Every structure is written in C-alpha cells, then in structure tokens.
Amino acid sequence: MKLAHIVGARPQFIKAAMLSRAFAKAGIDEILIHSGQHYDENMSDVFFEELDLPKPHLQLLYNPNGTVSPVDDMSRSIEAALEDLNPDLVLVHGDTSTTLAGASAASRLNIPLAHNEAGLRSYNNAMPEERNRVLSDQAADILFCPTQSSVERLQREGITEGVYFTGDVMLDALQHYAERAGELPDSIEKRKPYTLVTIHRNYTADQPERMEAFIRILEAMPMSVVLPLHPRTAKRLKEFNLSIPEHIHVVDSVGYLEMISLERNAGVILTDSGGVQKEAYFLGIPCITLRPETEWTETVDAGWNIVADLDKGKILNCLEAFDRTQERPSYFGDGNAAERITKILLSQRF
Ligand code: UDP
C-alpha cells in the first residue's frame, strides 16, 4: 500500500512519529509530505530531530502572508504532489489548515482519505479548527476516533461507515517519549511550584481584547508562571502593543521532550491548546482551559479540566479547586492507537 501521510503543524509531527514507526514495521510504503505550515527550528525541525521522525520525502513551501487564500494555496500544492505520487490513500491528522488542505486535495482527486482524530467537536464555528475538522470528517472514507464519544458524535451526524475507535495517538506518544524527557533545567526547577501556561490559537491570539484579558490574568497569577511562547502569540503581542508582565518566566516554544518535562512538573496548567489539555489529563496535572469550550469534554467530566475561558475571577478561584486524588478513566485508549490504526489500514482494499 502506498500511503501519502500529510503533516505540517507541531502536534501532527508528534502523531506522525508514532505512526511512521508503526507503518515502517508493517511494511507500508509511506510518503511523508510536509505542507510547510510550521517551518522553523522551534516549531518543526526540533520535532523531526528528537522524535526520530524520518525527514519528509516531500517538503512543500507555504507563505501565509504572500497569498490571498493560504489554505487553498497549500491545498493546490498538495494536490500537485498527490497527482505526481498517485497514492492508494491519504492520511491527515487533527484540525489545522494542513488537515483541511490535505483532505480537500485528496477529495478533489478522488483518492481515499483517512482522518485521524475524527469526531471531535467544539461546536464553535468561529474557530477555524472546528471548520477544519468538520469538513475533513465529511470528506473522509476512514475515520480514526480517539474516544468513544467521538464515534457517537459522528453517528449523530450520520457518519457511520469506516468509523473506528482506536484510542489517541497522543497518549501513545506520551507513554513512548516520557522516559526520554529529562529533568527540568535549573532556571525552571527553582520556580517550583509553577503554573505552566500556553496560548496560541488564532481565536485568542488574533483578538486584541482577548490578548489583553490574557495579560490581565498573567498579572494576577499568585504563583510563578512558566510560559513557552508560540511565535504567533509573540507576533500579535507586539502588534497589539501588549507586554508580558516581568514576573512571568517566558521561554521560546520548546521541543516535545522539554514540554513533557515542563508539564509533568507543573502544579497546574493553563492552556488553549487541545493537545496540552489531553497531556495534562494523561499526566494527572489539573488543567484550566482558556477557551469558552473544549472538544476534549471527557477531561472536564472527569474533573481534571475546568473550562474558564479568559474569566480572571474564575481562573483564580479554580487554581486550588482540584481534587488531585480523583480517578482518570481511560477514555483515550491504552496507548496502542498507532498499532490499531496500522492494522485497520492494512485490512483495507484499494
Ligand atoms: N508542545 C510542544 N512545545 C511547546 C508547546 C506545545 O512540544 O512549546 C506540544 C504539546 O506538548 C502537544 C502539542 O505540542 O503535544 C500541542 O500542540 P499545539 O498546542 O500547537 O496545538 P493543538 O494541540 O492546540 O492543536
């Protein structure tokens, strides 16, 4: 089987690392295509280096500022690559521009499409991620669901064919790489107990009033805070003339291994990231979600995640509100999602 595996954003490199290894073991002929969405050292190269992810077979170029419709442009260049390669199947992950660009390219060429992390919904259409995941699910022939509730959500939308509960590849990744994640550097160790904060979604970063509310929250934080700063957020803060309070320890975006170490040593995590909410749950670290809703509702049901949006009063009240002894049911599978996905792919007829 010839599989075109499309990645382009940070969380996709992490998922791809687990899947590429499983594909190689199973003898699947994989062509890894990098859309170019995240391209620099911190957001791309570091993941390929530390996760033993093979270099992409095809590196596409992407310039979000130089085009009228960046996702369309990305999709056209993926389409041209797919036309050349003529794969049996295209695999995309999650909910980014790369996901939608890859899904629409495959669908225009009538190539079977698999979507990993299918069936997630925030029901907030103001977020591009929601549109990306809904459209990708609709275009997909094979849908890999990380949780049972994502299977049920698809059922309610009438999508029942080709749907598989596999568990979450991000759990596989955390279990696999946790051992390799080292100790904290002294500069962070001495800040314990600290709160880890990440913020990067367009929904927050692109709106000046939301960024301002975020800064007010940082100012009010009663304990030390470590903030790995996403380049988009850094750029927007500058544009909006906002500065991060001095007592916040800001570092550049870190690689995955360093991130695991920052997460597992944190007292609490505040984030608008989907992946970080889940990792907090896997590691048993309380999480406060800086968005009006979450698609990872199981983490909330279990009591380990509180959706607080940018409500400063609520966040300050929540910081100590968690019961750290409560259970964390295994909604996200058993850490063997990549293997399951590989088996399902091998069982398909093309
Ligand atoms: N992550 C990382 N370095 C950072 C921040 C996040 O390696 O500085 C990892 C994080 O551990 C998780 C993934 O990136 O595995 C989440 O990606 P992101 O927050 O960019 O996107 P989302 O999950 O919201 O799509």
Side-chain angles (χ1 to χ4, degrees):
M1 182 205 316
K2 192 169 173 186
L3 171 74
H5 187 176
I6 300 179
V7 295
R10 178 164 72 181
Q12 294 164 348
F13 307 139
I14 298 166
K15 289 164 198 148
M18 297 310 294
L19 283 163
S20 275
R21 195 173 304 114
F23 294 159
K25 222 166 127 192
I28 292 178
D29 177 14
E30 178 201 32
I31 303 139
L32 192 63
I33 302 178
H34 190 316
S35 72
Q37 183 180 343
H38 286 165
Y39 48 84
D40 56 12
E41 165 61 33
N42 287 356
M43 297 298 289
S44 176
D45 300 355
V46 63
F47 295 94
F48 283 82
E49 282 151 24
E50 61 176 34
L51 307 184
D52 304 323
L53 184 58
K55 286 262 172 285
H57 299 94
L58 207 59
Q59 173 73 60
L60 305 177
L61 293 174
Y62 170 62
N63 177 5
N65 304 317
T67 64
V68 181
S69 174
V71 180
D72 274 359
D73 277 13
M74 197 195 284
S75 191
R76 292 291 162 198
S77 61
I78 293 174
E79 183 178 345
L82 293 178
E83 249 178 330
D84 236 31
L85 294 164
N86 194 24
D88 299 307
L89 182 77
V90 170
L91 171 65
V92 295
H93 301 279
D95 56 18
T96 69
S97 301
T98 297
T99 318
L100 181 59
S104 27
S107 123
R108 279 195 301 276
L109 293 172
N110 244 329
I111 304 173
L113 173 72
H115 182 208
N116 174 38
E117 220 173 70
L120 275 299
R121 298 289 180 266
S122 69
Y123 300 105
N124 181 349
N125 284 323
M127 290 198 186
E129 290 85 356
E130 181 70 359
R131 300 193 293 275
N132 296 341
R133 54 173 91 94
V134 170
L135 293 170
S136 301
D137 282 347
Q138 285 169 354
D141 304 282
I142 307 172
L143 300 99
F144 298 125
C145 295
T147 56
Q148 287 292 357
S149 65
S150 41
V151 175
E152 287 153 23
R153 240 174 264 122
L154 289 175
Q155 263 166 7
R156 287 199 292 278
E157 294 178 15
I159 304 177
T160 51
E161 298 249 317
V163 176
Y164 301 90
F165 167 66
T166 56
D168 197 312
V169 181
M170 295 294 273
L171 175 60
D172 301 20
L174 193 69
Q175 290 180 353
H176 183 86
Y177 290 106
E179 249 180 44
R180 280 209 226 162
E183 301 294 310
L184 286 175
D186 287 347
S187 58
I188 304 219
E189 180 69 38
K190 70 177 187 210
R191 289 170 208 276
K192 272 174 150 179
Y194 63 83
T195 296
L196 178 67
V197 180
T198 79
I199 195 114
H200 76 288
R201 293 270 167 128
N202 301 74
Y203 186 75
T204 322
D206 292 356
Q207 302 195 57
E209 59 295 349
R210 287 186 65 80
M211 281 314 277
E212 191 165 347
F214 172 66
I215 297 291
R216 297 285 98 82
I217 291 162
L218 291 181
E219 282 167 359
M221 288 298 285
M223 69 273 278
S224 61
V225 171
V226 177
L227 169 63
L229 194 59
H230 192 286
R232 176 196 296 141
T233 313
K235 190 164 163 237
R236 293 288 183 254
L237 283 171
K238 244 192 201 153
E239 284 168 15
F240 302 152
N241 216 3
L242 292 168
S243 8
I244 296 174
E246 265 177 27
H247 66 280
I248 306 296
H249 185 66
V250 181
V251 293
D252 284 341
S253 284
V254 295
Y256 182 55
L257 300 182
E258 206 174 331
M259 188 63 183
I260 295 178
S261 160
L262 285 175
E263 287 172 339
R264 71 182 171 202
N265 284 288
V268 183
I269 296 178
L270 267 61
T271 189
D272 68 346
S273 155
V276 175
Q277 286 175 61
K278 281 188 287 178
E279 286 161 359
Y281 182 77
F282 301 154
L283 292 165
I285 308 294
C287 180
I288 299 176
T289 294
L290 305 176
R291 285 171 36 191
E293 70 290 298
T294 180
E295 54 284 359
W296 301 106
T297 49
E298 289 84 354
T299 60
V300 177
D301 298 342
W304 284 90
N305 187 2
I306 294 177
V307 176
D309 199 11
L310 296 173
D311 180 337
K312 187 172 79 183
K314 184 167 179 183
I315 292 167
L316 295 177
N317 282 333
C318 289
L319 287 170
E320 304 292 337
F322 292 93
D323 169 7
R324 292 165 194 259
T325 61
Q326 64 196 328
E327 279 185 28
R328 283 175 290 128
S330 45
Y331 298 115
F332 299 89
D334 56 6
N336 293 305
E339 211 175 290
R340 232 168 257 129
I341 288 172
T342 306
K343 277 197 186 132
I344 295 164
L345 290 178
L346 286 172
S347 71
Q348 307 292 315
R349 289 182 186 281
F350 298 106

